[in-house]
Amino acid sequence: MSAASEGPTAAADLVRPAVTDSDPEASRRTGTEVTRATDAGASFRSAFASAPLAMAVVDRDGLVVTANDNFTALFGTAARPPAGQVAAELVDLTSDGRTWHAYREVLRGRRARLRCTRRVKHPDGHAMWVQVTVAPLHEGFQGVLLSVADISARRELQARLRHLQMHDPVTRLPNRTLFFERLTAALESEPEERGSTGRIGLCYLDLDGFKAINDTLGHRVGDRLLAAVAERLTRCADEAGFARAGAPLVARLGGDEFALLVEDSTGTEQLADLAESVLRALRAPFDLSGRRLSVTASVGVVERLAADTTATGLMQAADTTLYWAKADGKDRWTLFDPERNAHRMTRQALASTLRPGIERGEFRLEYQPLVGMADGRLRGVEALVRWDHPQFGILTPNRFIGLAEEDGAIVPLGRWVLATACRQARRWQLEHPAEEPLFVSVNVAVRQVWDSDLVADVDRVLAETGLAPELLQIELTESAVMGSAGRPLQVLQALSAMGVRIAIDDFGTGYSNLAYLSRLPVDVLKLDGSFVRGFQYEGEGAPPNPADEVVVEAMIQLAHRLGLTVTAECVETPAQAERLRRIGCDTGQGWLYSRPVAPDRISGLRARTTSYAVGKP
């Protein structure tokens, strides 16, 4: 007869030792042990029957030997009581390979305990969560004790708490935490788990002008607007997911930022259609309790192979693209462009290495001749800074001066350029004492005037190098000089009083208000190269536009009437040089004479530039 068929006595049988010794003393001891075992068995049966947990004794073969009333209520029926059934099947220990192996190890006495959580079906049909514990019985007992605790209420509470933790209370959308959980899972899953495409897409958006609404109408109105936006985004996602395996995940990432995640993207066209539908949905006015509000959105769109990206990489690309959409005018979507991003990354790399580059001495100066138009002789040079970048090679000023002005690095860089150029000009003077000394022209940014004591810097450098003030020319752009007042004007006046010459660079491209020239301590106008290019022949045999020459001649005559000299930039042909000389231009600068060169080549150019004197081709 099996243990299962022995009924209530089975639990006692599990603790009853066998008597095989005929010795009286042994019999006495055995009798004592039996008495104790019987008492222990009685205690066990009492605890077993009255335990609040569902319990069952399981033999080494995995069959239920006996069970208490709570266990029978959970897993048995009148037609089929638990006794004799396979315990692992009752509590679903076979569906998980790891759990099934651990359970068998406990049955064999090779493992002390197993505890796991399972989802099982109650006899009345409803599902419930239970915590299952399997442990060997104490010494003298056979089999294992299986106990089951119904934790459905706890799991339900945990699920509610998780929902609150993972969802935004204002919009009831998944929040940032749940979004990144889903995104990470989608990126880490195998292509066959994601679907047939193995691609992922993201529309990352924020509202244009939401801050103004929030600040003026209050956070309550702002929250209601966010909730209304969430409804429209969800509707867009549902429409996009119609006839597909699933709709995009809509999440609020914080503030007025939202995301629509497409886990099985079919390409950029699908993402573009989704972004367009979002923009159309949000353009319609919102009616909030009689208050009519209008907002738009900017959307950054990223679509790529899931295997080729990470959650961080995808979000960085989306954030960058959203910034582009804002910068391009708002109320639009912009697709991620690797080329544009590469330019941005290069810009960031340059910005981050600019100051260290100054400290490491990665910058150098080249010099471009300034030639007298009347006699073709070398009068001075303009110092042009170059960055010998360890990663990007030789960079011209247009690649990094703007960055230097943005973060203030232009101040230490400008000091280095000033000191280096003046030191070089003095060296040329000492190397050629019999020749007329060359002046050096140094560009100065507006931020140098505001953020540093430029007058003190110039005074110190001239004193240290021994260069005469009249051999230094400071160049500022026209937009920086015109309308100067306060500190800029004081700086210009102080430099002029020291004997330093002041030149306006790229003249004719900014305000072009010549009336200011009579009130500013300016010595030189440098005509922008666009005027000089107009002197070129438009085609073979076609004459140049005479209006260009009239305008340039008028500016030169006015400058001369004000006591200023004029330098023409971008002189490239002898014909241009001759026409500029004829209308009175004082000096010229451009590739006709020389490209910017290293300082050791300037001495050799002194003789060569005379070949462009009057009357020589």
Side-chain angles (χ1 to χ4, degrees):
M1 183 178 292
S2 69
S5 63
E6 295 176 5
T9 63
D13 292 340
L14 289 171
V15 300
R16 186 179 296 124
V19 180
T20 59
D21 198 334
S22 60
D23 179 71
E25 181 59 27
S27 298
R28 187 184 63 77
R29 289 197 305 268
T30 301
T32 302
E33 291 171 357
V34 168
T35 301
R36 290 175 179 170
T38 302
D39 292 342
S43 299
F44 173 81
R45 286 196 306 274
S46 175
F48 183 79
S50 61
L53 293 178
M55 288 184 171
V57 175
V58 180
D59 65 19
R60 298 297 182 183
D61 294 325
L63 300 177
V64 176
V65 176
T66 185
N68 65 6
D69 292 341
N70 286 328
F71 193 94
T72 301
L74 281 178
F75 300 104
T77 62
R80 192 181 181 195
Q85 295 193 51
V86 178
E89 293 178 354
L90 291 175
V91 291
D92 189 31
L93 298 180
T94 60
S95 61
D96 174 12
R98 181 177 297 178
T99 302
W100 172 236
H101 173 74
Y103 171 65
R104 287 184 296 170
E105 291 292 287
V106 176
L107 288 179
R108 294 167 184 166
R110 299 174 183 171
R111 180 181 175 126
R113 177 184 292 264
L114 166 66
R115 176 171 289 175
C116 61
T117 301
R118 316 305 290 172
R119 192 170 187 266
V120 299
K121 183 176 287 188
H122 193 274
D124 66 7
H126 77 271
M128 59 182 179
W129 286 95
V130 295
Q131 186 175 75
V132 179
T133 303
V134 183
L137 292 166
H138 291 295
E139 185 178 352
F141 292 77
Q142 299 175 20
V144 298
L145 181 65
L146 185 149
S147 61
V148 181
D150 185 354
I151 60 170
S152 299
R154 188 173 73 192
R155 290 279 298 202
E156 184 180 348
L157 176 60
Q158 289 174 341
R160 288 201 299 267
L161 291 176
R162 174 175 167 78
H163 185 274
L164 292 173
Q165 182 185 12
M166 295 293 186
H167 287 75
D168 171 51
V170 175
T171 63
R172 299 185 180 180
L173 292 176
N175 62 14
R176 189 179 191 89
T177 302
L178 182 54
F179 170 80
F180 275 99
E181 188 176 285
R182 283 279 299 273
L183 173 59
T184 302
L187 293 174
E188 291 177 352
S189 63
E190 294 299 324
E192 56 269 19
E193 297 175 20
R194 284 191 299 265
S196 60
T197 68
R199 303 186 70 84
I200 196 162
L202 179 64
C203 289
Y204 182 39
L205 65 106
D206 76 358
L207 304 179
D208 304 324
F210 175 77
K211 186 178 185 301
I213 293 174
N214 215 28
D215 291 347
T216 57
L217 301 180
H219 291 281
R220 180 174 298 181
V221 174
D223 286 350
R224 291 173 63 192
L225 176 60
L226 291 174
V229 167
E231 290 180 6
R232 294 192 186 181
L233 294 179
T234 302
R235 191 159 56 245
C236 289
D238 291 341
E239 292 171 357
F242 182 74
R244 287 179 53 83
L249 172 72
V250 183
R252 182 190 178 199
L253 302 188
D256 60 334
E257 296 177 358
F258 297 84
L260 290 88
L261 179 66
V262 181
E263 295 187 30
D264 185 24
S265 168
T266 58
T268 56
E269 186 175 346
Q270 179 196 5
L271 270 295
D273 289 343
L274 179 59
E276 282 287 359
S277 69
V278 165
L279 292 177
R280 284 195 303 270
L282 296 183
R283 283 174 187 142
F286 292 84
D287 290 317
L288 304 177
S289 301
R291 193 188 302 272
R292 195 172 178 85
L293 298 176
S294 295
V295 294
T296 57
S298 299
V299 186
V301 178
V302 184
E303 200 279 341
R304 58 181 55 171
L305 277 170
D308 293 342
T309 192
T310 62
T312 301
L314 188 70
M315 292 308 300
Q316 285 178 341
D319 187 64
T320 297
T321 313
L322 173 59
Y323 171 79
W324 293 343
K326 291 280 190 186
D328 292 343
K330 303 179 181 180
D331 189 21
R332 68 190 64 216
W333 64 270
T334 301
L335 183 66
F336 181 75
D337 180 0
E339 231 177 83
R340 185 173 180 180
N341 187 59
H343 176 75
R344 181 185 69 90
M345 295 298 289
T346 301
R347 180 179 172 86
Q348 289 179 344
L350 292 178
S352 64
T353 56
L354 188 54
R355 288 180 182 271
I358 298 172
E359 296 170 359
R360 289 192 296 261
E362 294 174 358
F363 291 84
R364 59 182 174 82
L365 294 184
E366 292 183 348
Y367 300 88
Q368 188 169 30
L370 295 163
V371 177
M373 303 299 293
D375 57 10
R377 295 184 64 83
L378 185 62
R379 302 295 185 189
V381 293
E382 179 180 356
L384 299 169
V385 64
R386 303 287 187 260
W387 186 359
D388 190 359
H389 196 281
Q391 180 181 355
F392 302 110
I394 304 299
L395 302 179
T396 53
N398 63 307
R399 295 288 303 277
F400 58 84
I401 289 297
L403 294 173
E405 290 180 341
E406 287 177 13
D407 76 348
I410 192 67
V411 173
L413 179 60
R415 288 196 182 106
W416 177 85
V417 170
L418 176 67
T420 304
C422 289
R423 194 177 301 112
Q424 182 60 58
R426 178 58 175 161
R427 186 177 297 119
W428 285 324
Q429 185 179 13
L430 295 176
E431 290 173 353
H432 305 277
E435 299 182 28
E436 182 181 352
L438 302 176
F439 70 87
V440 63
S441 190
V442 176
N443 290 278
V444 171
V446 178
R447 189 158 183 176
Q448 288 178 258
V449 177
W450 284 103
D451 292 0
S452 68
D453 192 341
L454 182 61
V455 176
D457 290 342
V458 170
D459 186 58
R460 185 187 68 257
V461 167
L462 293 178
E464 291 175 353
T465 61
L467 187 69
E470 61 270 16
L471 296 180
L472 174 62
Q473 179 171 288
I474 296 295
E475 292 189 25
L476 294 97
T477 60
E478 178 185 348
S479 58
V481 174
M482 292 304 180
S484 291
R487 182 178 177 84
L489 179 58
Q490 295 169 5
V491 169
L492 294 179
Q493 290 172 336
L495 290 174
S496 180
M498 291 169 58
V500 175
R501 298 198 297 177
I502 307 297
I504 301 177
D505 196 16
D506 299 330
F507 185 79
T509 60
Y511 299 97
S512 300
N513 190 337
L514 298 177
Y516 283 108
L517 296 179
S518 62
R519 298 195 293 270
L520 292 174
V522 175
D523 303 285
V524 181
L525 297 184
K526 296 189 72 175
L527 296 181
D528 184 70
S530 59
F531 293 106
V532 178
R533 293 189 196 98
F535 282 17
Q536 296 178 356
Y537 285 93
E538 298 174 358
E540 187 161 349
N545 185 350
D548 291 330
E549 185 171 328
V550 171
V551 170
V552 172
E553 184 175 8
M555 286 194 292
I556 291 174
Q557 289 178 356
L558 180 57
H560 286 170
R561 295 285 296 270
L562 293 172
L564 311 178
T565 61
V566 179
T567 297
E569 299 178 305
C570 300
V571 181
E572 298 178 355
T573 68
Q576 288 175 326
E578 171 57 25
R579 295 180 67 203
L580 288 166
R581 182 203 62 78
R582 192 175 63 247
I583 60 178
C585 187
D586 301 288
T587 56
Q589 177 182 359
W591 287 5
L592 172 66
Y593 309 110
S594 173
R595 296 175 182 243
V597 296
D600 57 2
R601 294 186 56 191
I602 291 297
S603 297
L605 291 175
R606 284 178 179 262
R608 202 186 77 174
T609 51
T610 58
S611 63
Y612 299 108
V614 181
K616 295 187 179 181

